[in-house]
Amino acid sequence: MDAPRKRNSPTPGQIALAEQLARGETYMSDDVVTLSVDRYVDEARHDAEKQLLDGMATPLVPSALLAEPGSALAHDDSGRALLITRDTAGKVRIFANACAHRGTRLLDAGDVVEGRKIACPYHAWVYNLEGALVGFPRRDAFPGLCKKDNGLVEYGAAEHGGLIWFSPDPQADFSVAEQLADDFDAIGLGEMRFYERSTHRIAANWKLVIDAFLESYHVKRLHQGSIGDFFADGMATADCIGRHQRFAVGRAEYDRKIDAADWQQLRETVTLTYHIFPNGVLVLSPDYCNVMVVHPGKDTRSCRAENFMLVPGDVDPSLFADKWERSWQLLDQGTFGGEDFRAAALCQQGIDTGVRKEMIIGRLEAGITLFHDQLDELLQARS
């Protein structure tokens, strides 16, 4: 049994990519190119990339993870100790997970907690979900202390298209998040239900993980033990939305005559994949969705990939629990964890031998070249 798909129409851009696939078109570059492997091993560049990401809005978690007003979550995978809240009015906010009193961690990493207030576990200083200090015991011990001046440190946050975006800068430009909102609203991302999440610690540069989702050349080979049989070999079309890349990957029956404006038919024959620049990935399957955020590690040879699975929000979960659990295990532990992430780590190991100074990027891997060109351009602009 398949879960019902969203009934509104795909965007014109989504339809156009599906129609290109049906015509047998494939996204290919004109030439074979090479990339220096230095970009995966140079620590100075890695530090510059982390500073670059700190200066821009990046995806953090799906909205569905924190769906209800009056909820909060500790989040550490970005490398910062964050406290994400959805206040009682439904607004998402992101704070440093540190009490104003002694810097104590307010919430420990784990599941979402419900409630209108957060109390420090050490001395019971209390904050509301808007980050304001609303009370503390023994006020006589802190003469002249103003609650208004001792709220939580707030970062930049925005919510568009079913994703929560983050920046350390409270004044950051979040217009890049709005660029994908129409596509993600058409998918119904913001209406989906959170199913499961996991964090993978990968011994590879963060870009090697992103690279894996920017080409379909590997699918029939690397994924022959999991999902390879579901897809045609190297059949994909692509375009850009700002710096974000949008791909339509042909499933085994991609050339079947379909009405591309019908979500159910489109999702049966086409897998839409998005590179959410710079460090996010969305993969739309027939009746669920995976969102991944890849966070650079402390050094150039490590990263964390947080994988979220979202399912339709308007169906009885008990009817699809077994199917979704099988899908989660297949993708998170098999396709992503056991194949894509493992391949990134193996690639890092090969690069680290120093035998090869360049890697070859074929015509079916044009998305990789574009991604690295964009990063190079932004890094050069900051230097």
Side-chain angles (χ1 to χ4, degrees), residues 200-205 209 294 301-305 341-342 344-345:
H200 298 258
R201 290 165 174 80
I202 307 166
N205 185 275
V209 178
V294 184
R301 294 168 174 84
S302 66
C303 66
R304 294 184 179 189
F341 302 159
R342 179 174 179 270

Side-chain angles (χ1 to χ4, degrees), residues 29 31-40 356-363 365 368-370 372-373 376:
S29 61
D31 301 299
V32 175
V33 300
T34 58
L35 284 178
S36 170
V37 299
D38 288 346
R39 67 187 61 243
Y40 301 107
R356 301 287 185 183
K357 302 303 180 185
E358 294 180 325
M359 60 172 58
I360 302 168
I361 306 298
R363 296 180 63 206
E365 301 165 292
I368 295 175
T369 306
L370 177 57
H372 287 275
D373 286 348
D376 290 347

Side-chain angles (χ1 to χ4, degrees), residues 30-344:
D30 294 332
D31 301 299
V32 175
V33 300
T34 58
L35 284 178
S36 170
V37 299
D38 288 346
R39 67 187 61 243
Y40 301 107
V41 297
D42 184 81
E43 292 290 352
R45 179 188 173 100
H46 180 70
D47 291 342
E49 289 173 351
K50 292 178 68 174
Q51 292 174 18
L52 176 67
L53 269 63
D54 280 348
M56 62 194 304
T58 57
L60 187 63
V61 299
S63 299
L65 184 62
L66 212 67
E68 297 300 323
S71 56
L73 173 73
H75 187 277
D76 299 324
D77 283 334
S78 71
R80 282 182 167 83
L82 302 179
L83 178 63
I84 312 172
T85 72
R86 188 179 294 279
D87 66 26
T88 53
K91 180 179 174 63
V92 168
R93 300 171 184 270
I94 301 177
F95 305 99
N97 191 4
C99 181
H101 174 215
R102 298 268 292 274
T104 306
R105 184 179 176 90
L106 296 170
L107 285 184
D108 209 356
D111 296 330
V112 173
V113 299
E114 306 288 340
R116 294 174 177 268
K117 296 177 181 178
I118 298 171
C120 176
Y122 199 171
H123 298 95
W125 285 38
V126 180
Y127 302 85
N128 64 22
L129 299 186
E130 291 79 33
L133 177 64
V134 296
F136 53 92
R138 295 298 304 267
R139 295 196 64 176
D140 61 307
F142 299 90
L145 182 74
C146 178
K147 289 190 290 186
K148 185 171 65 175
D149 296 335
N150 287 279
L152 300 178
V153 173
E154 187 165 8
Y155 297 124
E159 188 173 19
H160 295 286
L163 288 181
I164 295 171
W165 294 67
F166 163 73
S167 173
D169 182 0
Q171 306 302 319
D173 178 12
F174 283 92
S175 60
V176 294
E178 299 177 39
Q179 293 173 334
L180 291 169
D182 286 347
D183 269 41
F184 290 175
D185 284 342
I187 290 169
L189 192 66
E191 301 163 22
M192 290 185 175
R193 178 187 292 118
F194 167 70
Y195 180 77
E196 188 58 273
R197 65 192 271 228
S198 69
T199 297
H200 298 258
R201 290 165 174 80
I202 307 166
N205 185 275
W206 70 279
K207 300 185 298 297
L208 286 171
V209 178
I210 293 294
D211 289 349
F213 295 91
L214 299 178
E215 48 91 359
S216 60
Y217 175 49
H218 73 279
V219 172
K220 296 292 285 186
R221 280 138 299 263
L222 178 64
H223 300 314
Q224 60 181 316
S226 59
I227 62 170
D229 288 345
F230 296 124
F231 292 91
D233 190 5
M235 292 302 301
T237 54
D239 62 4
C240 293
I241 305 173
R243 294 187 185 276
H244 312 294
Q245 295 190 63
R246 174 174 56 187
F247 301 88
V249 182
R251 296 175 71 85
E253 297 182 351
Y254 77 94
D255 55 351
R256 192 184 73 181
K257 299 299 181 184
I258 66 166
D259 177 3
D262 183 288
W263 264 125
Q264 181 165 346
Q265 295 184 51
L266 189 150
R267 291 175 66 171
E268 287 173 352
T269 57
V270 174
T271 292
L272 289 170
T273 301
Y274 292 80
H275 173 215
I276 308 168
F277 188 87
N279 63 325
V281 175
L282 182 148
V283 181
L284 184 64
S285 296
D287 59 358
Y288 56 89
C289 179
N290 285 89
V291 175
M292 275 175 284
V293 183
V294 184
H295 300 284
K298 292 183 178 180
D299 60 67
T300 192
R301 294 168 174 84
S302 66
C303 66
R304 294 184 179 189
E306 191 171 16
N307 177 32
F308 305 88
M309 181 170 162
L310 309 180
V311 298
D314 56 354
V315 300
D316 181 351
S318 65
L319 298 177
F320 302 95
D322 290 344
K323 179 178 181 180
W324 288 338
E325 180 60 24
R326 291 194 303 271
S327 296
W328 169 253
Q329 294 297 330
L330 172 67
L331 288 180
D332 185 71
Q333 298 300 312
T335 305
F336 299 151
E339 295 168 354
D340 288 311
F341 302 159
R342 179 174 179 270

Side-chain angles (χ1 to χ4, degrees), residues 7-29:
R7 291 301 181 188
N8 66 324
S9 297
T11 64
Q14 292 167 334
I15 293 171
L17 290 184
E19 290 178 339
Q20 290 171 29
L21 267 185
R23 293 194 296 268
E25 299 178 23
T26 303
Y27 174 50
M28 299 180 72
S29 61

